[in-house]
C-alpha cells in the first residue's frame, strides 16, 4: 500500500473544492461568465473604482403591456449610465419570467455580446432586440396562453447589476364554469383540467377583478389561479352575500387544493380561428353535432372559444348549439326580445341529454 498515494487521494478532492470557490474563476450556465470584463484584470484597462460615482440604470415600462394569442410582442428594456459614458462597455443580459401562484420562475434568454441562448418552451420563439444603442428588449413570437405574467430584464456589468420589470397580459375574457353534474364539484386540480379542456386557464385575481369592473356578476364561488375561492358581485342581494355588503369581489380565502370543491373561473384569450354556427337542415344529437363539424372541415367549439368569439369577434346568434363539453349555449352581443336576458352575454341551457335533438352546433376552425 502506498502512503503517498493515500495522501494525494485525500488532497485532490480538497483542492478541487477550494478551486471552485476561488474568486476570478468563471462559472458555467451555457455561457462562461467571468467577474472580469472580457476576462481582463480590472487593473489592466479598467480601474478598480470604475463604478465610483457611476450608476447603471435599467428602464422598463411601468404600464402593463396587452397583446393576444398568436401575436408577436416586444417587451421593452433599455439601460444607460449616469453620468453618460462615451464608449460602450461589455454587459451580460438575462431575461426570466417570475414565479407566480406556485409556478416556478422560468429562464427565458441569456446573452453576451452577439451570443444568445434561449430556454424551455421559449426556444425558437424569442430573441434579444438591439436596434438602438443599449436596447436589450425581448421579442416573443407566437404568444401562447401561458406566456402572460411578469418578466424581469437584468443587465450585468462586471460586478454591478440592475433590473427592471415588464408585465405582459393577454386580452381575454373571464367566464364561470361548472361541472356537468352541478354546482361545487371541482377540487383545484380538477378545476385546472376543466379550464384547459375548454381552451382556457384558471383566471387570476387580477383578471377576475378586471372582469368585475367590466360588469361580471356571478353568485357562485369559484377557484382562482392562486387556489383562493372568490366571486364577483356588482349588485348586492340577499342570496349572494346579503344586502348589507357593498358590491365587490367576495373572497373565501385560500382553500385546500384537494379537499374543497367549488366551481371555477376560467380565462380564455382571443382566437386565431373562427367560431360559427353551422347551418344544418335539422337539429342534432351531441354525437351528430361533432360529426357535422368534422364534415365541414372543423371541430366542435369549446366553451372558452365561444366566449372569446362573443367577446372579441362580436359573435351574435340566438340559436342554442352544442359545444364540446356537452353543454348547449348561444352568444348574444346585441340583446333583443325573444333572445334571453337584456344584457350581452353567453346564455346557457346547461348540459342537456346528449341524445336530444333540440340544438344546432357551434364549430371552430
Amino acid at each position: 500500500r502506498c502512503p503517498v498515494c493515500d495522501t494525494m487521494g485525500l488532497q485532490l478532492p480538497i483542492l478541487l473544492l477550494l478551486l471552485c470557490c476561488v474568486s476570478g474563476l468563471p462559472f458555467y450556465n451555457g455561457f462562461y461568465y467571468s467577474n472580469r470584463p472580457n476576462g481582463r484584470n480590472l487593473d489592466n484597462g479598467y480601474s478598480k473604482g470604475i463604478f465610483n460615482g457611476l450608476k447603471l440604470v435599467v428602464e422598463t415600462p411601468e404600464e402593463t403591456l396587452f397583446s393576444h394569442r398568436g401575436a408577436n410582442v416586444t417587451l421593452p428594456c433599455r439601460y444607460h449610465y449616469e453620468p453618460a459614458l462615451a464608449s460602450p462597455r461589455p454587459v451580460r443580459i438575462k431575461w426570466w419570467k417570475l414565479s407566480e401562484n406556485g409556478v416556478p420562475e422560468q429562464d427565458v434568454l441569456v446573452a453576451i455580446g452577439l451570443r444568445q441562448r434561449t430556454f424551455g418552451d421559449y426556444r425558437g420563439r424569442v430573441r434579444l432586440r438591439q436596434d438602438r444603442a443599449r436596447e436589450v428588449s425581448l421579442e416573443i413570437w407566437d404568444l401562447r396562453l401561458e406566456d402572460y405574467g411578469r418578466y424581469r430584464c437584468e443587465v450585468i456589468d462586471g460586478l454591478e447589476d440592475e433590473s427592471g420589470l415588464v408585465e405582459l397580459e393577454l386580452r381575454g375574457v373571464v367566464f364561470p364554469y361548472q361541472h356537468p353534474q352541478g354546482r361545487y364539484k371541482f377540487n383545484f386540480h380538477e378545476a385546472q383540467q376543466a379550464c384547459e379542456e375548454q381552451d382556457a386557464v384558471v383566471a387570476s385575481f387580477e383578471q377576475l377583478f378586471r372582469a368585475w369592473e367590466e360588469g361580471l356578476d356571478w353568485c357562485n364561488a369559484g377557484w382562482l389561479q392562486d387556489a383562493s375561492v372568490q366571486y364577483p358581485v356588482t349588485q348586492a342581494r340577499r342570496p349572494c352575500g346579503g344586502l348589507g355588503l357593498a358590491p365587490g369581489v367576495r373572497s373565501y380565502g385560500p382553500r385546500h387544493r384537494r379537499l374543497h370543491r367549488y366551481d371555477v373561473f376560467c380565462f380564455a384569450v382571443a382566437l386565431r380561428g373562427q367560431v360559427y354556427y353551422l347551418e344544418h337542415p335539422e337539429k342534432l344529437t351531441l354525437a351528430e353535432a361533432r360529426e357535422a363539424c368534422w364534415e365541414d372541415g372543423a371541430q366542435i367549439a369549446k366553451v372558452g372559444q365561444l366566449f372569446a368569439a362573443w367577446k372579441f369577434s362580436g359573435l351574435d346568434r340566438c340559436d342554442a348549439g352544442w359545444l364540446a363539453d356537452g353543454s348547449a349555449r348561444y352568444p348574444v352581443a346585441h340583446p333583443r326580445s325573444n333572445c334571453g336576458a337584456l344584457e350581452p352575454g353567453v346564455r346557457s341551457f346547461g348540459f342537456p341529454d346528449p341524445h336530444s335533438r333540440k340544438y344546432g352546433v357551434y364549430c371552430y376552425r
Side-chain angles (χ1 to χ4, degrees), residues 64-65 75 97-98 100 122 145-152 165-170 207 225:
T64 300
L65 302 182
L75 309 188
K97 187 181 180 188
L98 299 186
E100 288 186 282
Y122 293 96
L145 190 55
E146 60 272 17
D147 286 341
Y148 79 88
R150 296 180 300 159
Y151 292 78
R152 188 166 291 281
L165 195 66
V166 182
E167 186 166 1
L168 174 64
E169 185 68 82
L170 299 187
Q207 291 162 347
Q225 193 181 81

Side-chain angles (χ1 to χ4, degrees), residues 54-55 80-87 134:
L54 188 65
K55 184 179 181 182
H80 67 271
Y81 297 92
E82 296 177 356
L85 293 178
S87 57
R134 294 175 179 151

Side-chain angles (χ1 to χ4, degrees), residues 306 310-311 314-319 329-336 338-347 362:
L306 184 67
W310 162 76
K311 177 75 172 180
L315 185 62
D316 183 276
R317 184 85 189 205
C318 209
D319 298 289
R329 308 174 193 245
Y330 65 99
V332 177
H334 307 289
R336 52 202 180 272
N338 301 321
C339 199
L342 296 180
E343 64 271 348
V346 175
R347 322 284 192 231
Y362 287 93

Side-chain angles (χ1 to χ4, degrees), residues 212-323:
W212 169 75
E213 289 182 314
E214 295 173 356
L216 181 61
D217 183 279
W218 195 256
C219 208
N220 290 344
W223 290 104
L224 294 181
Q225 193 181 81
D226 60 358
S228 68
V229 172
Q230 310 194 37
Y231 63 99
V233 177
T234 59
Q235 295 181 348
R237 51 201 184 274
R238 183 171 289 106
C240 201
L243 295 172
L245 294 177
V249 177
R250 312 277 169 80
S251 177
Y252 289 3
R255 303 278 92 180
H256 196 287
R257 294 172 183 246
R258 292 193 306 275
L259 300 181
H260 291 141
R261 294 184 176 273
Y262 296 93
D263 294 343
V264 61
F265 289 98
C266 301
F267 178 77
V269 299
L271 301 171
R272 302 183 69 176
Q274 176 191 12
V275 174
Y276 61 98
Y277 183 82
L278 180 65
E279 300 294 346
H280 198 274
E282 56 187 18
K283 302 299 183 181
L284 306 165
T285 66
L286 177 58
E288 291 168 345
R290 294 182 192 277
E291 185 177 356
C293 286
W294 182 81
E295 290 176 350
D296 201 49
Q299 59 188 22
I300 189 169
K302 300 178 179 180
V303 177
Q305 294 167 345
L306 184 67
F307 269 93
W310 162 76
K311 177 75 172 180
F312 299 106
S313 302
L315 185 62
D316 183 276
R317 184 85 189 205
C318 209
D319 298 289
W322 290 108
L323 295 177

Side-chain angles (χ1 to χ4, degrees), residues 42-43 45-55 89 160:
L42 288 175
D43 293 326
Y46 295 92
S47 67
K48 289 183 177 179
I50 188 68
F51 273 94
N52 287 343
L54 188 65
K55 184 179 181 182
R89 291 175 54 82
E160 296 292 320

Side-chain angles (χ1 to χ4, degrees), residues 2-19:
C2 175
V4 175
C5 295
D6 290 343
T7 303
M8 292 182 65
L10 290 172
Q11 290 176 341
L12 183 58
I14 296 173
L15 179 61
L16 292 174
L17 182 62
L18 291 173
L19 283 173

Side-chain angles (χ1 to χ4, degrees), residues 119-134:
F119 300 89
D121 292 337
Y122 293 96
R123 287 195 182 101
R125 294 198 301 126
V126 298
R127 78 175 182 94
L128 203 63
R129 180 172 179 172
Q130 298 173 292
D131 293 346
R132 296 177 293 174
R134 294 175 179 151

